[in-house]
Amino acid sequence: MGGSRYGLESSNWSGLIAAGLGIPGGGDEPIAQIDGDWVVPTVPASTADDYSGTWIGIDGVTNGSLIQVGTSQDSGGGTTTYSAWYEILPAAPVTISQPVSPGDQIVASIASIDPFTDTWEISISDSAKWQKSYDVTYDGPGDTAEWIEEAPTVGGGQSTLANFGNVQFTALDIYSFNAPTSYPLIPVSMANADGVVIAYPGPYDQGSNSFPITYGTPAPVVDSVSPSQGSTSGGTAVDIDGDYLTGASSVSFGGVPVPFSTNPDNSITATAPAEAAGTVDVTVTTPGGTSALTGADQFTYVAPSPPPVVQPPITKSAGSSGYDLVGRDGGVFVFPGSGSFFGSIPGLHVKVSNIVGMVPTADDQGYFLVGSDGGVFAFGNAPFLGSLPGQHVHINDVVGIVPTGNDQGYFLVGKDGGVFTFGNAPFLGSLPGRGIHVDDIIGIAADASGQGYWLIAANGQVYSFGNVTNFGSATGNSSPVTAIQSTPDGGGYWVVFQNGSVYTFGDARFFGSLPGLHVNPARPVIGIVPTADGGGYWLIGGDGGIFSFGDAPFVGSLPGLHVSVTDIVGAVPTTV
C-alpha cells in the first residue's frame, strides 16, 4: 500500500479507514465497535469472472488480523450472484445461507462484548427480510476500522474488480472501550497495475454521516503549479502537483499542448510555451478526463522586467521604522535604504522559485524564509532549527511559517492544515488530526507564549490550537483571505483580504482598509505587517506596493522606485 496526496492507494480495495493506534496521528484507544449500512449494488452480468465485496471490518491495515462482515456481488458466465458472509482471518469466509438481492438495505455491526474472553458479536440484517448475529472469538488489537469495496483474493490470486457502480455507506459509527475518542478518517483509492485509479471514495459528509465509493477513474485534480509564473518567451519548467494524475496523456497551458514527463511521485513536469503576458489555466488529461479549472492551476506570463533602479541612500534616525519585502525567489527589498538587510537567497547563490513566507525574529534583527517544500532559510539572528527536506519529508504545499516567542522554534503549516514543528515549538494539533479535510489553508499565526496557534483558510475560517482563544472567523467577504497576523501580545489577530479589507479580532485595532479609502490595489494584497506597538500596520501588495495605516510610516515601495515585480510573497517590520 502506498500514499497518494489525499490518502492511500491499494491494489485490491477502496474506502475509508478510521485511524486508531496502528497509524501515526490516529486515535489513542483501541477500536471496539464499527457500524455501517449500505445498499447492495447492482453488478452487470459478464462472461468473465469479476468480483466485488462490500464490507465493514476492524484491523487488517497495519497488521495480519481482520474481522469483517459484508456482501458479495460476483459476476461470471453471464450471471451475477449475491451473498452475505463474515470472516475472521486466517480462517476462510463463512457464507450466510440467506437470500441477498441488489437494492437490499444492509445494516451491519461488529462489536466487542467481552474483552476479557475476546468475545465479539457480528450482526447483519437485510431489508428486514432476515437478521443474523454470531458470537465469535477474536483477539486482534483494534488498530483500525474500515468501510470497504474490495476485489477479493480468489483461488490464491487477485481477482478482477466487478463494476459495482456506486456504493453509499451510511450510519458510520466507531466506538472505543473508554470515553469517546476521535479517529481521523483516511481515504483509500484502488489502483491497477499501471497505477491508474479504478475505484475511489468520495468525501465524508458529516451532516449525513455517509460517503460514497465509485467504480471507475476520477478526473485528475491540479492542486498547484510551481513556479506559478514565468517569462512570456516560454521555456519555464513547471511542476504540476495534484491527485489522480497517473496515466496523463496530455498537458496544456491555456489550451496549448506542451511536452511533459511524469515523475516517480506521480507529479508532472511540463515546459511552458511562449505566450503573451497574462494568466492561463494549466490542465491535465488522463483516462478519467480533463482537470477542472481552478485558481490553483493558473500560470502567469510576465514580460521581462527592466533593470532595477538602485535606491539612493536614505538618512535614518534611531528608532525609525520600516519593512523588508521578499519575492518568490528569496530576493529581499529593504525600506528605508539598506538598513535591516540580513541577507537573501540570491545572495547565497541559491536559485529557488517557491518561497511562500517571511517572518521576523522577536527583535527584528533577523528573519526566516520558507519554501512550499518546507525548506527554511534563516538570516540575521534567526536560528536554523531544521526543515522538511532535511527530515526527508517531500511535500509541496507548505503555505506559512511562524516562530515561537523566543525564536528557538517555529511552526510550518500546509494547505491541508497539517502542522510541522521544529526546535522548541510544541505540536498542539492539526486539522488532519481532527479529521477535518481541507485544502485551502493559507496562513498560521502564533500567540506570544508559543503555546498556541491559529490556522486560517482562504474563506476566512479560523481554527485554533493549544492555549489560544478563537476570537472569530472572517467569513462572508467575496475576496479571498491572504494572511492572518497576531497582535504583539497574542490577544487578538488581524485578517487581511486580497482587496485590502482588514478584519480585527480580540485586541487587534482597526486603523483602516483599502475599500474604506475606495482604493483598488493594482495587485492583490498578500499580507499585513503590524508596527511594534500594535498602533498601526502596513498592507503589502503583490507588486511591492505599500499602504500605511495608524502609526505605520510610509518609507517607500517598489512601484515608487519603478521596479516592476508581481511575486512579492511576504514582509517583515524593521526597527533601525
Side-chain angles (χ1 to χ4, degrees):
M1 179 177 298
S4 72
R5 185 170 182 82
Y6 296 118
L8 303 174
E9 284 186 359
S10 168
S11 62
N12 66 327
W13 53 272
S14 176
L16 285 185
I17 297 170
L21 292 170
I23 295 181
D28 55 6
E29 292 284 344
I31 295 172
Q33 180 174 338
I34 180 173
D35 300 335
D37 303 351
W38 67 90
V39 173
V40 177
T42 300
V43 170
S46 65
T47 56
D49 291 334
D50 300 331
Y51 300 84
S52 76
T54 310
W55 54 268
I56 64 171
I58 293 177
D59 291 321
V61 177
T62 59
N63 54 59
S65 302
L66 179 62
I67 181 172
Q68 55 185 160
V69 62
T71 60
S72 291
Q73 304 81 221
D74 304 329
S75 182
T79 61
T80 301
T81 58
Y82 300 86
S83 62
W85 50 270
Y86 69 87
E87 182 177 16
I88 304 174
L89 293 182
V94 176
T95 300
I96 299 172
S97 299
Q98 295 292 336
V100 175
S101 301
D104 287 357
Q105 176 74 39
I106 300 296
V107 177
S109 176
I110 301 171
S112 172
I113 57 177
D114 189 344
F116 298 102
T117 61
D118 294 328
T119 302
W120 291 65
E121 180 183 62
I122 298 174
S123 63
I124 181 171
S125 64
D126 180 343
S127 301
K129 294 190 301 187
W130 54 263
Q131 181 174 352
K132 293 288 184 180
S133 64
Y134 306 89
D135 287 350
V136 299
T137 299
Y138 177 68
D139 62 355
D143 282 350
T144 58
E146 305 87 38
W147 299 265
I148 297 298
E149 191 69 35
E150 178 185 20
T153 299
V154 177
Q158 175 65 56
S159 66
T160 300
L161 181 65
N163 182 357
F164 61 86
N166 182 279
V167 169
Q168 185 84 13
F169 276 98
T170 58
L172 279 63
D173 272 313
I174 46 179
Y175 302 92
S176 66
F177 290 110
N178 299 313
T181 300
S182 174
Y183 295 100
L185 296 177
I186 301 174
V188 180
S189 297
M190 178 177 173
N192 63 18
D194 295 325
V196 176
V197 170
I198 58 175
Y200 58 98
Y204 170 71
D205 185 330
Q206 188 172 10
S208 62
N209 193 20
S210 68
F211 78 97
I213 306 177
T214 302
Y215 176 89
T217 301
V221 177
V222 174
D223 184 66
S224 67
V225 294
S226 179
S228 60
Q229 67 177 33
S231 171
T232 53
S233 61
T236 302
V238 179
D239 291 329
I240 304 167
D241 202 1
D243 204 22
Y244 308 125
L245 303 181
T246 306
S249 57
S250 69
V251 175
S252 297
F253 280 62
V256 178
V258 300
F260 71 94
S261 60
T262 299
N263 303 315
D265 63 356
N266 290 328
S267 64
I268 292 173
T269 299
T271 302
E275 183 60 81
T279 299
V280 300
D281 290 289
V282 178
T283 58
V284 177
T285 300
T286 71
T290 299
S291 57
L293 304 184
T294 68
D297 67 21
Q298 293 182 338
F299 181 84
T300 300
Y301 285 95
V302 180
S305 300
V309 175
V310 178
Q311 182 185 18
I314 297 178
T315 301
K316 301 167 290 179
S317 59
S320 65
S321 295
Y323 33 83
D324 294 350
L325 312 181
V326 68
R328 193 173 295 276
D329 65 349
V332 175
F333 303 88
V334 179
F335 298 89
S338 58
S340 296
F341 176 74
F342 303 107
S344 68
I345 295 179
L348 300 175
H349 305 291
V350 175
K351 293 183 178 180
V352 300
S353 59
N354 68 339
I355 297 301
V356 296
M358 181 185 200
V359 288
T361 56
D363 60 4
D364 297 332
Q365 295 303 302
Y367 39 75
F368 304 89
L369 308 184
V370 67
S372 60
D373 62 350
V376 176
F377 301 86
F379 297 90
N381 67 354
F384 176 75
L385 302 167
S387 67
L388 293 184
Q391 295 183 350
H392 305 291
V393 176
H394 303 293
I395 62 175
N396 194 38
D397 66 352
V398 170
V399 296
I401 181 174
V402 63
T404 56
N406 62 4
D407 299 323
Q408 295 306 303
Y410 39 78
F411 308 89
L412 307 186
V413 65
K415 290 182 67 176
D416 63 350
V419 176
F420 304 89
T421 61
F422 297 86
N424 69 353
F427 178 75
L428 303 169
S430 67
L431 293 186
R434 291 182 176 178
I436 299 174
H437 304 289
V438 300
D439 63 354
D440 62 347
I441 296 300
I442 56 89
I444 181 171
D447 76 339
S449 71
Q451 297 300 310
Y453 44 80
W454 299 274
L455 309 184
I456 190 167
N459 66 358
Q461 181 68 45
V462 174
Y463 305 89
S464 56
F465 297 85
N467 65 359
V468 299
T469 299
N470 191 321
F471 297 105
S473 296
T475 56
N477 194 308
S478 60
S479 180
V481 170
T482 57
I484 183 172
Q485 175 65 55
S486 62
T487 57
D489 64 359
Y493 45 79
W494 293 275
V495 175
V496 67
F497 297 76
Q498 287 187 7
N499 66 358
S501 295
V502 177
Y503 288 10
T504 60
F505 298 88
D507 64 5
R509 298 165 59 192
F510 180 75
F511 300 102
S513 67
L514 296 189
L517 298 176
H518 305 289
V519 172
N520 185 26
R523 297 290 297 176
V525 170
I526 57 91
I528 182 171
V529 176
T531 56
D533 61 0
Y537 45 72
W538 297 275
L539 301 186
I540 314 299
D543 60 353
I546 305 295
F547 305 91
S548 299
F549 297 88
D551 66 4
F554 177 79
V555 292
S557 69
L558 293 182
L561 297 176
H562 306 291
V563 175
S564 178
V565 299
T566 59
D567 64 349
I568 297 300
V569 296
V572 297
T574 62
T575 303
V576 293

